[in-house]
Amino acid sequence: DNLPENGALMVFPGSHNVFVACPGKQPDRNWEKSLAVQVHGSPSQAQLTELAKQFGIRHCAGRRGSVLVFDSNLMHGSHSNITPLSRCNLFQVFNAVSNRLGQPFEAECFRPEHIAHRKPEHTNAVG
């Protein structure tokens, strides 16, 4: 189960409606470390404080097998699990075919195919 005590995801409800600029160039192969520690492309403490004041923070606790669907622009994050209570999460991102991946914005190279598909045969476009 994901509980506030073992690091359940936290969100700022409604924050997906606000643009938060997060400057900084991502280092090469950032995907190898970004799920453990996200340093580049993260908001500052001042930005997080303002978002928390404006939108509040909500834990997304859920029992095993629960599903949470949200816009990836919703400010979200979790803290480390320092309890004996394990948790396991699966993250899957969907993207419109019309928004196909292009040249990386602030990275030297593309993320690998197993992380970010670019091949048309991986899509089920209709129309």
Side-chain angles (χ1 to χ4, degrees):
D1 297 338
N2 276 258
L3 308 166
E5 294 83 12
N6 69 351
L9 190 71
M10 294 178 283
V11 299
F12 296 73
S15 62
H16 62 289
N17 294 310
V18 176
F19 175 73
V20 180
C22 300
K25 187 174 178 107
Q26 291 190 6
D28 192 27
R29 304 176 66 87
N30 186 54
W31 63 84
E32 293 177 345
K33 298 177 184 168
S34 64
L35 286 180
V37 178
Q38 182 68 353
V39 176
H40 304 281
S42 295
S44 68
Q45 277 302 126
Q47 290 170 309
L48 289 173
T49 299
E50 285 305 311
L51 289 170
K53 285 180 188 175
Q54 186 175 355
F55 299 107
I57 301 173
R58 186 170 297 162
H59 276 98
C60 298
R63 297 197 52 91
R64 255 176 277 200
S66 297
V67 175
L68 173 66
V69 178
F70 64 95
D71 185 309
S72 62
N73 290 317
L74 182 71
M75 190 58 63
H76 62 280
S78 61
H79 55 80
S80 298
N81 183 4
I82 59 170
T83 75
L85 306 171
S86 65
R87 68 164 195 227
C88 184
N89 298 304
L90 168 70
F91 297 94
Q92 188 161 3
V93 179
F94 294 94
N95 193 31
V97 174
S98 61
N99 191 25
R100 187 163 282 150
L101 289 172
Q103 190 65 31
F105 177 66
E106 281 292 339
E108 296 297 319
C109 62
F110 291 110
R111 290 178 285 176
E113 184 67 23
H114 72 278
I115 294 177
H117 292 299
R118 287 173 192 78
K119 298 178 182 176
E121 62 268 22
H122 292 297
T123 64
N124 291 323
V126 176

